[in-house]
Amino acid sequence: MPSRSFALYRGGLDAARALWDLSWEQSPNLWWPDDHSWCVATEIDLTSTYLGGPAALVRELLDDRRINAQPARPGDPIGAGA
C-alpha cells in the first residue's frame, strides 16, 4: 500500500479484538487467519469494512441480524454515497 506504514501483529481472533479495544477509532485495517481462507479489510478513509471469504461464511454474516451487512462484488464502487 503506497504512502502507508503498517505494523504486523500475530495472534488469534481475541488478539484482533484486543487491538480494537485499545481505544483505536477503528478495527485493524487487515486481518486474516493463518490459512488465508478469509480476509477482513477496513480502509481508514472509508466507512465500511469488507470481508472476503467462502460463500457459506458470507451468507452467515448476511443473515445475522446483529450485523449491518450487505453483499458486495469486486467491481462495486466504494466511498461516500456508494
Side-chain angles (χ1 to χ4, degrees):
M1 303 231 153
S3 305
R4 302 256 169 113
S5 297
F6 286 89
L8 181 61
Y9 295 91
R10 183 180 182 105
L13 200 51
D14 289 337
R17 177 61 196 220
L19 286 174
W20 196 346
D21 289 340
L22 288 174
S23 299
W24 292 4
E25 294 182 14
Q26 72 174 55
S27 65
N29 289 95
L30 297 165
W31 45 292
W32 58 89
D34 285 338
D35 67 2
H36 297 186
S37 60
W38 52 264
C39 179
V40 173
T42 303
E43 169 53 45
I44 195 168
D45 296 325
L46 299 178
T47 59
S48 299
T49 295
Y50 290 86
L51 168 95
L57 172 62
V58 172
R59 274 192 307 277
E60 185 174 335
L61 291 173
L62 290 171
D63 291 342
D64 190 326
R65 296 200 181 273
R66 297 171 297 169
I67 301 170
N68 180 7
Q70 298 178 7
R73 300 210 181 279
D76 289 350
I78 59 173

